[in-house]
Amino acid sequence: MATDLATELRVLRPDEWDTWYGNLMRAFGGVPEPTEEQELYRSLTEFDRSLGVWDGDACVGTAGAFSFRLTVPGGAPVPAAGVTMVGVAATHRRRGVLTSMMRRQLDDVRSLGEPLAVLTASEPEIYGRFGYGAATFQLGADIDTSRAGLSVPAGTDDVRLRYAAPADVLDACEAVYARLVPGRPGMLARRPGWERLGLLDPESLREGASPLQCVVAERDGEVAGFARYRVKPGWETGGPEGTVVLNDLAALDPATDAALWRFLFGIDLTSKLSVGNRPVDDAWQYLVSDIRRCRPRLRDSLYVRLVDVGAALAARTYQAPVDVVLEVEDAFCGWNAGRWRLSGDAKGAVCERTSDAADLALSVRELGAAYLGGVPLSALAAAGRVRELRGGALAEASVGFGSAVAPWLPHGF
């Protein structure tokens, strides 16, 4: 497949990886140098799912995909293409390079039988036109731990905390993560190799903070949670003002979760806790004495694209009974366009083509945004993005599509 007379789109060969990755780094403003992160992503690359656009010997476009399994409402893991490594050389913008890669990629995803494609967007405006909708958000915070305290639940004092080298307890931490995956939409079941992502600790990204540290939480002799973090020392005229920088935290129960947060709040010689990516319904918000001292902030995270509308909507469950006909617009993947009858509840769902009158009209982008239960269809309707064609259909579908817990992507890819 060619984007124009001078360029060629083809599947990546292993001996082309360095050139391919170098184009990506240049597109993102970086200089490719051998790093631990680069070597990890080389090892994780699925070459048969990686595309390059070439102008002679020069790589001018990159796009890849990882074979993921994504938790959806109901707890089922659904095959999903994790779109990644997308970049176009500045010399070849507006020549159809990106569109050609997105076209080939979604065609390939469909042929593999994956109902979903997902990505994190450097520029969200780009991916909306290819049908991706913002489906999860992440909570960040800059917490003044000198002025915000915690009220912890019963059982917190029974949790034992101990320091450990992050690599030494990796298997135990991964076991905790794996147990959490089915309980929250948006989480990814990690394939072998992905566990190393949590151990990446390049000095260039520490910004003066310590090497990665880890504390594990135990209950009844079993690891029930962990936190990975760095400490950035700081001194003011009034005394120590260090910052704890949280990388990731996971816990199997409320007491363990509270014990880990209490530990982070109380690390000696620190007065701040910097949090980058947590679920929007994370429990610590309801333990703190003063949320204003935490300066919470929200940003978009995972974008979802329904590649096969029928299969995707049938793969999840619905928290209230739904029987609705959807009129779907999909200009980029025309096989999805038209009417679909969705019938489902908490036990399962069926979604099939129909000629019945439509109850709701929306684009595949809005379906992607609502798919994991974090963005209400009613909110999209209030923005004019969903049209109600049958009275009561919007409320019914909006409740049904919801999730009891907020969807969340724990890490990028």
Side-chain angles (χ1 to χ4, degrees), residues 379-392:
L380 294 169
R385 308 298 297 179
V386 176
R387 291 186 295 118
E388 185 179 49
L389 305 176
R390 171 178 63 82

Side-chain angles (χ1 to χ4, degrees), residues 71 171-183 187-190 226 250 252:
T71 300
D171 289 346
C173 293
E174 282 300 296
V176 170
Y177 176 87
R179 288 180 62 182
L180 294 172
V181 168
M187 294 189 72
L188 300 170
R190 289 206 272 251
F226 66 90
L252 297 178

Side-chain angles (χ1 to χ4, degrees), residues 139-143 209 212-215 226-232 243-250 257 260-261 263-265 267 272-279 282 284 297 408 410:
L139 176 70
D142 293 303
I143 303 171
L212 191 67
Q213 301 185 44
C214 181
V215 64
F226 66 90
R228 299 187 187 114
Y229 63 96
R230 298 182 179 89
V231 176
K232 184 175 183 179
T243 299
V244 179
V245 182
L246 180 63
N247 270 40
D248 55 320
L249 182 152
D257 186 67
L260 289 166
W261 283 102
F263 166 80
L264 295 169
F265 269 56
I267 292 176
K272 301 173 185 175
L273 173 57
S274 176
V275 178
N277 177 17
R278 299 298 302 166
D282 214 12
W284 67 265
R297 59 185 182 273
W408 176 56

Side-chain angles (χ1 to χ4, degrees), residues 323-325 358-360 387-394 396:
D323 185 10
V324 64
V325 175
D359 301 319
L360 296 176
R387 291 186 295 118
E388 185 179 49
L389 305 176
R390 171 178 63 82
L394 178 62
E396 171 192 331

Side-chain angles (χ1 to χ4, degrees), residues 146-160:
S146 69
R147 304 181 71 177
L150 290 173
S151 297
V152 298
T156 301
D157 292 336
D158 298 330
V159 179
R160 176 177 178 263

